Amino acid sequence: MKNSLLIAALCIALSTGCTNADYRAMRDTAERVENGMTISQVSSLLGSPPTHQTEEVIQWRRANAQSYNASKAGSIEFKIRDGKVYGIPSGGIFGQNARQERAQEIKREQLEFARARQSELAQEAAEKRTSQLARNEQARIDAAKLEEDTARQIVLERAAKEKSTFVCKDKVTCTKAFALAQIYTTQNSDMKIQVATDTIIQTYNPSEETSIGISVTKTPQSGSTEVLSIAANCKNEGGYAFLCSAKRTRVYEGFRPFIQSNLLK
């Protein structure tokens, strides 16, 4: 008996569970445990203290059987309440009734887990739907706002283009103004100049999204008066209407002030 207790104590100290020989001896004795016994009474009967203990259960675990399943292949386990054993069915913890109860308990646990998982998945799906609806609504709002902003921007662009025309009254001024127009085109276009004559300056067509191309035309009027008109174009195949309009607007707004300020120098 002393040797058995010593071996059991050693296996507990090493936290590896009980050896098969120790476990078999305790397993047979475990059938004699009755409801109402204290932990110390059960420990005395089995010949060693529990290998594991919580507020709800006490266990004697075999090294390769770490869980209780009401069969002799599992661990020894007793439910405790107020320090006493309870819930042992007739026939003992390894009897037919115990196995049936444990099987039903496992089914309940699996069902509860499945229900909890199903509820969790349903909650996740609901959150995703809510999140997607929120994103869709925000996208709708953003699209509507962009449409409104683009409409306002186009109005500003038209006004800027109308004011961009430059009128010169004599040949010297017009020649200098057209030279300045070529400089302005070079500085404000994303494309290189393709054509430059006495009456037209024109860049290559824009090759990338939102890139700007410019053309300037000099049109003779009555007498020595000439009119310089600028046109900006922007590649907008990707739906960048607002950005393109804003870029064209800046080109129009800056054209006449650039010529006027540099003519005075």
Side-chain angles (χ1 to χ4, degrees):
M1 182 65 176
K2 290 182 179 180
N3 290 337
S4 177
L5 289 174
L6 180 59
I7 294 173
L10 180 60
C11 79
I12 294 169
L14 294 176
S15 300
T16 59
C18 300
T19 65
N20 290 341
D22 298 325
Y23 179 80
R24 282 195 297 270
M26 288 188 293
R27 181 189 62 197
D28 295 337
T29 308
E31 296 284 26
R32 294 160 51 194
V33 176
E34 299 177 354
N35 290 321
M37 284 187 173
T38 64
I39 297 175
S40 60
Q41 287 175 326
V42 177
S43 299
S44 177
L45 181 63
L46 297 185
S48 72
T51 58
H52 294 80
Q53 179 176 339
T54 69
E55 293 182 355
E56 298 178 348
V57 297
I58 51 175
Q59 288 183 329
W60 285 259
R61 295 181 180 177
R62 190 175 60 174
N64 60 350
Q66 299 297 303
S67 61
Y68 172 73
N69 59 7
S71 73
K72 293 185 178 181
S75 66
I76 298 169
E77 178 180 295
F78 297 102
K79 298 178 181 179
I80 56 173
R81 183 169 54 203
D82 299 328
K84 294 183 179 180
V85 173
Y86 78 99
I88 299 176
S90 59
I93 63 169
F94 296 128
Q96 180 64 27
N97 291 336
R99 290 195 295 274
Q100 290 177 351
E101 288 184 5
R102 182 55 182 160
Q104 292 174 355
E105 185 177 345
I106 291 174
K107 287 182 180 179
R108 285 194 299 270
E109 290 174 353
Q110 291 175 340
L111 181 59
E112 289 175 1
F113 178 82
R115 287 174 176 171
R117 183 56 180 160
Q118 185 177 14
S119 177
E120 182 180 335
L121 292 174
Q123 180 65 24
E124 290 177 359
E127 290 176 356
K128 286 181 180 179
R129 286 195 298 271
T130 300
S131 178
Q132 185 61 52
L133 289 173
R135 287 195 296 270
N136 292 345
E137 177 62 15
Q138 187 60 50
R140 186 193 66 77
I141 293 172
D142 291 344
K145 185 176 186 304
L146 179 59
E147 185 176 353
E148 293 176 1
D149 291 344
T150 300
R152 285 193 293 267
Q153 177 57 49
I154 290 175
V155 172
L156 294 175
E157 178 189 346
R158 290 172 180 169
K161 186 175 183 180
E162 290 176 0
K163 296 178 181 179
S164 66
T165 301
F166 179 79
V167 179
C168 52
K169 302 284 186 179
D170 60 82
K171 185 174 179 60
V172 174
T173 302
C174 290
T175 299
K176 184 176 181 181
F178 200 58
L180 290 169
Q182 183 169 338
I183 294 173
Y184 184 82
T185 299
T186 301
Q187 292 178 346
N188 291 274
S189 174
D190 297 314
M191 310 305 298
K192 292 182 179 180
I193 292 177
Q194 180 182 20
V195 177
T197 68
D198 293 339
T199 57
I200 187 169
I201 302 164
Q202 185 174 18
T203 69
Y204 288 94
N205 289 327
S207 57
E208 297 181 2
E209 297 294 343
T210 72
S211 58
I212 289 288
I214 294 175
S215 64
V216 179
T217 304
K218 183 172 66 172
T219 305
Q221 302 292 312
S222 61
S224 58
T225 300
E226 294 181 330
V227 176
L228 274 62
S229 302
I230 185 171
N233 60 325
C234 175
K235 187 171 183 180
N236 181 31
E237 294 178 357
Y240 299 99
F242 178 87
L243 183 56
C244 277
S245 179
K247 283 189 170 185
R248 291 191 298 262
T249 300
R250 286 195 293 270
V251 171
Y252 294 141
E253 289 176 341
F255 180 64
R256 191 167 69 176
F258 177 81
I259 293 177
Q260 289 174 332
S261 61
N262 283 282
L263 280 175
L264 299 175
K265 295 181 180 178

